[in-house]
Amino acid sequence: MFARLRPLLARPPVAAAVLLALYVVLSLANDTRGYLGTDTGGKVATLEVMSRTGRLDPDVGYWAERWDPSGELHPLFYTSHFGDKWVNVTTLPVLFAALPLFDLGGYRAALFLPMAGSVAAALAARALALRLGSQKPMVAFWVVGLASLLTIYALDFWEHSIGVGLLAWAVVLLFDAARERERSLWRAAGAGVLIGAAFTLRTEALVYGAVATGVFMVAAASAGRVGSAVRLGAVVALGAVPPVLANLVLEEATVGVNLRLSRAGGVATAAGVTTEPVPGSRWGDALTTTFNLEPSLSTASHLLGIGAVVLVAWFVFRSRALLVEAETTQAETGEVGGAPVGDGGRFVRLLGALVIAMWAIRFVTDLGFVPGLFAATPIAAAALTLARANSASRRLVLIAAGSLPLVWLFQFRGGAVPQWGGRYQLTSAVLLCVVGLVGLELVPAAARRLLIGLSVAVTAFGLAWLAQRSHAIGDAGAALARRPEPVLISDIGHLFRETGATYGQHLALEAIDKAHFAQAVGVVEAAGYAEFGLVVVDDPKATPPTVPNWRPTHADRVELLPGVQLRITTYERMYPASPSSGR
């Protein structure tokens, strides 16, 4: 039966529809109230407010603005105050596009957009594989679509997959513009439009777009076509302007400020800061998001992750060398016997066993983030060995690798551990994955199956983790929303943003230190409430803080994540509240 379906699945429109349907099925394992990260919670909170008000306005409001006009205690972390608006998001196009879907079918319907982004990226992977001379381009489609980081990001309302899809197709157009004279300027303009559109969603798109354009300009200039190289760069830059300007108009009309340019400027400024109030170093973050198998900033984790990448590259290199040796022997002797076993074959099998063991150890520890690009996309490591196969492959590797130092320099600090596969580096992961898959066509089938199987396994691990995480966060958010205290105060910076699906169902304040906690208690008093709940990570050794004129009455516990308990201590006012204010 599968043999009869294979020709049908080789057609891109059919394959795209099937992939989208598979995403829908996979998404059913996740709770719509829990997400891949806190940014998604902020977006969902915004969508909830927009859906209730029926307006294209990302203002999430603030119940305590009267007593905290600066918004230091706003329950949604990273909320900015622009005029009379409280805005928690940094990109608007996808949010506004998702609102009709959200109104129609809630969060699951809104997921159509990131799912479509991953489908587009998988189709671009197929197109790139064809341009690299692949004999099996649909392998790239299915691996990128179902066994890569984009599988995870298709199931969460984030812009990452859409940004990767736009950038990957921009690279396809740049390939064609650089090698074909007919309609080359139109293709370059199209690439610029896609890069500009991607920048309205993801700040790192500017890095990838600039590096990709530069690589193809250098290639054209090296071939003696200096004029073509200059025209290519100029047309790409001009093409990027309209979507960026359109987004600026949208932001000015709805928020009154330029969110995306402010975000890019803030990131650029942060890159020059040498002493930052964030644990670890910028290069520690870079190593974590590029190599690490486990969510840790430790040196041991860095070395383990780098060792895993080296091991995969070595395994692929020795497998390729073994196949070349076998082909040479066959050509010289005329005997058909496949690759020789001998010491070389045994060594390759040992390397393969070690590769499996490295990831297996991670799988059996606990469900959680796999933060490294290469750890979450092991086939990408094969590209480091196989890229020399042709010049087209080398260009993709140059784009992917050349962008990484700039991404490391400008990526947001403090978010290295809680992310899947280095979310700022997803474009590099996809490009390297395509190069690796095309190169694996030149190695023994057993080695190819091992790495594809490993990619499937790590993706399945991520899907299981996302399902567990979404249900845990969703249940915790619902439990907090049902609390009897009129106001909840928490010192966990992202807690109420993480549980954004219940935003507005309960009054809350974020107080990340003692000074803010005192300020939050003052807000509760000024609002006339006689009770509040203090939400902290449970520590059996800790005692509830002393609050003048308030007394703790009892404490309850709620599970936030497996192994992480919240303690909610109820405080009661020791004298009557003022009747002049309150609910």
Coordinates of all heavy atoms in Angstrom, one line a residue, residues 376-410:
A376 N 19.8 19.0 19.2 CA 18.4 18.8 18.7 C 18.3 18.5 17.3 O 17.3 18.0 16.8 CB 17.6 20.0 19.0
T377 N 19.4 18.7 16.5 CA 19.4 18.4 15.1 C 20.8 17.7 14.8 O 21.7 18.3 14.2 CB 19.4 19.7 14.2 OG1 18.4 20.6 14.8 CG2 19.0 19.4 12.8
P378 N 20.9 16.4 15.2 CA 22.2 15.8 15.0 C 22.7 15.7 13.5 O 23.9 15.6 13.3 CB 21.9 14.4 15.6 CG 20.4 14.2 15.7 CD 19.9 15.6 15.8
I379 N 21.7 15.6 12.6 CA 22.1 15.6 11.2 C 22.9 16.8 10.8 O 23.7 16.8 9.9 CB 20.9 15.4 10.3 CG1 20.3 14.0 10.5 CG2 21.2 15.5 8.8 CD1 19.0 13.8 9.8
A380 N 22.7 17.9 11.5 CA 23.4 19.2 11.1 C 24.9 19.0 11.3 O 25.7 19.6 10.6 CB 22.9 20.3 12.0
A381 N 25.3 18.1 12.3 CA 26.7 17.9 12.5 C 27.3 17.2 11.3 O 28.5 17.3 11.0 CB 26.9 17.0 13.7
A382 N 26.5 16.4 10.6 CA 27.1 15.7 9.4 C 27.5 16.7 8.3 O 28.4 16.4 7.5 CB 26.0 14.7 8.8
A383 N 26.8 17.8 8.3 CA 27.2 18.8 7.3 C 28.6 19.3 7.4 O 29.2 19.7 6.4 CB 26.2 20.0 7.4
L384 N 29.1 19.3 8.6 CA 30.5 19.8 8.9 C 31.5 18.9 8.2 O 32.6 19.4 7.8 CB 30.8 19.8 10.4 CG 29.8 20.7 11.2 CD1 30.2 20.6 12.7 CD2 29.8 22.1 10.8
T385 N 31.1 17.6 8.0 CA 32.0 16.7 7.3 C 31.8 16.6 5.8 O 32.7 16.4 5.0 CB 31.9 15.3 7.9 OG1 32.2 15.4 9.3 CG2 32.8 14.3 7.2
L386 N 30.5 16.7 5.4 CA 30.1 16.4 4.0 C 29.9 17.6 3.2 O 29.6 17.5 2.0 CB 28.8 15.6 4.1 CG 28.8 14.3 4.8 CD1 27.4 13.7 5.0 CD2 29.7 13.3 4.1
A387 N 30.1 18.9 3.7 CA 29.8 20.1 2.9 C 30.7 20.3 1.7 O 30.4 21.0 0.8 CB 29.9 21.3 3.8
R388 N 31.9 19.6 1.8 CA 32.9 19.8 0.7 C 32.4 19.1 -0.6 O 33.1 19.2 -1.6 CB 34.2 19.3 1.1 CG 34.3 17.8 1.3 CD 35.7 17.3 1.7 NE 35.8 15.9 1.8 CZ 35.4 15.1 2.7 NH1 34.8 15.6 3.8 NH2 35.5 13.8 2.7
A389 N 31.3 18.4 -0.6 CA 30.9 17.7 -1.7 C 30.6 18.6 -3.0 O 31.0 18.2 -4.1 CB 29.6 16.9 -1.4
N390 N 30.1 19.8 -2.8 CA 29.9 20.7 -3.9 C 29.9 22.1 -3.4 O 29.7 22.4 -2.2 CB 28.7 20.4 -4.7 CG 27.4 20.4 -3.9 OD1 27.0 21.4 -3.3 ND2 26.8 19.2 -3.7
S391 N 30.0 23.1 -4.3 CA 30.1 24.5 -3.9 C 28.8 25.0 -3.4 O 28.8 25.9 -2.5 CB 30.5 25.3 -5.1 OG 29.6 25.2 -6.2
A392 N 27.7 24.5 -3.9 CA 26.4 24.9 -3.4 C 26.2 24.5 -1.9 O 25.7 25.3 -1.1 CB 25.3 24.2 -4.2
S393 N 26.6 23.4 -1.6 CA 26.6 23.0 -0.1 C 27.4 23.9 0.7 O 27.0 24.3 1.8 CB 27.0 21.5 0.0 OG 26.1 20.6 -0.6
R394 N 28.6 24.2 0.2 CA 29.5 25.1 1.0 C 28.9 26.5 1.2 O 29.1 27.1 2.2 CB 30.8 25.2 0.3 CG 31.7 23.9 0.3 CD 33.1 24.2 -0.1 NE 33.2 24.6 -1.5 CZ 33.4 23.8 -2.5 NH1 33.4 22.5 -2.3 NH2 33.5 24.3 -3.7
R395 N 28.1 26.9 0.2 CA 27.4 28.2 0.4 C 26.4 28.2 1.5 O 26.3 29.1 2.3 CB 26.8 28.7 -0.9 CG 27.8 29.1 -2.0 CD 27.1 29.4 -3.3 NE 28.0 29.6 -4.4 CZ 27.7 29.6 -5.6 NH1 26.4 29.6 -6.0 NH2 28.6 29.8 -6.6
L396 N 25.7 27.1 1.6 CA 24.7 27.0 2.7 C 25.4 26.9 4.0 O 24.9 27.5 5.0 CB 23.8 25.8 2.5 CG 22.7 25.8 1.4 CD1 21.8 24.6 1.5 CD2 21.9 27.1 1.5
V397 N 26.5 26.2 4.1 CA 27.2 26.1 5.3 C 27.8 27.4 5.7 O 27.8 27.8 6.9 CB 28.3 25.0 5.2 CG1 29.2 25.1 6.4 CG2 27.7 23.6 5.1
L398 N 28.3 28.2 4.7 CA 28.8 29.5 5.0 C 27.7 30.4 5.6 O 27.9 31.2 6.5 CB 29.4 30.2 3.7 CG 30.8 29.7 3.3 CD1 31.1 30.3 2.0 CD2 31.8 30.1 4.4
I399 N 26.5 30.4 5.0 CA 25.4 31.2 5.5 C 25.1 30.8 7.0 O 24.9 31.6 7.9 CB 24.2 31.0 4.6 CG1 24.4 31.6 3.3 CG2 23.0 31.7 5.3 CD1 23.3 31.2 2.2
A400 N 25.0 29.4 7.2 CA 24.6 28.9 8.5 C 25.6 29.2 9.5 O 25.3 29.7 10.6 CB 24.3 27.4 8.4
A401 N 26.9 28.9 9.2 CA 28.0 29.1 10.2 C 28.4 30.6 10.3 O 28.7 31.0 11.4 CB 29.2 28.3 9.8
G402 N 28.4 31.3 9.2 CA 28.7 32.7 9.2 C 27.8 33.6 10.0 O 28.1 34.6 10.6
S403 N 26.5 33.1 10.1 CA 25.5 33.9 10.9 C 25.6 33.7 12.4 O 25.2 34.5 13.2 CB 24.1 33.5 10.4 OG 23.9 33.8 9.0
L404 N 26.2 32.5 12.8 CA 26.1 32.1 14.2 C 26.9 33.1 15.1 O 26.3 33.5 16.1 CB 26.7 30.7 14.3 CG 25.8 29.6 13.9 CD1 26.5 28.2 14.1 CD2 24.5 29.6 14.6
P405 N 28.1 33.6 14.7 CA 28.8 34.5 15.7 C 27.9 35.8 15.9 O 27.9 36.3 17.0 CB 30.1 34.8 15.0 CG 30.3 33.6 14.1 CD 29.0 33.2 13.6
L406 N 27.3 36.3 14.9 CA 26.5 37.5 15.0 C 25.2 37.2 15.9 O 24.8 38.0 16.7 CB 26.1 38.0 13.7 CG 27.2 38.6 12.8 CD1 26.7 39.0 11.4 CD2 27.7 39.9 13.5
V407 N 24.6 36.0 15.7 CA 23.5 35.6 16.5 C 23.9 35.5 18.0 O 23.2 35.9 18.9 CB 22.9 34.3 16.0 CG1 21.8 33.8 16.9 CG2 22.3 34.5 14.6
W408 N 25.1 34.9 18.2 CA 25.6 34.7 19.6 C 25.8 36.1 20.2 O 25.5 36.3 21.4 CB 26.9 34.0 19.6 CG 26.8 32.6 19.1 CD1 25.7 31.8 19.1 CD2 27.9 31.8 18.5 NE1 26.1 30.5 18.6 CE2 27.4 30.5 18.2 CE3 29.2 32.0 18.3 CZ2 28.2 29.5 17.7 CZ3 30.0 31.0 17.7 CH2 29.5 29.8 17.5
L409 N 26.3 37.0 19.4 CA 26.6 38.4 19.9 C 25.3 39.1 20.3 O 25.3 39.9 21.3 CB 27.4 39.2 18.9 CG 27.9 40.6 19.3 CD1 28.8 40.5 20.5 CD2 28.5 41.3 18.1
F410 N 24.3 39.0 19.5 CA 23.1 39.8 19.7 C 21.9 39.1 20.4 O 20.9 39.7 20.7 CB 22.6 40.3 18.4 CG 23.6 41.3 17.8 CD1 24.3 41.0 16.7 CD2 23.7 42.6 18.3 CE1 25.2 42.0 16.1 CE2 24.6 43.5 17.8 CZ 25.3 43.2 16.7

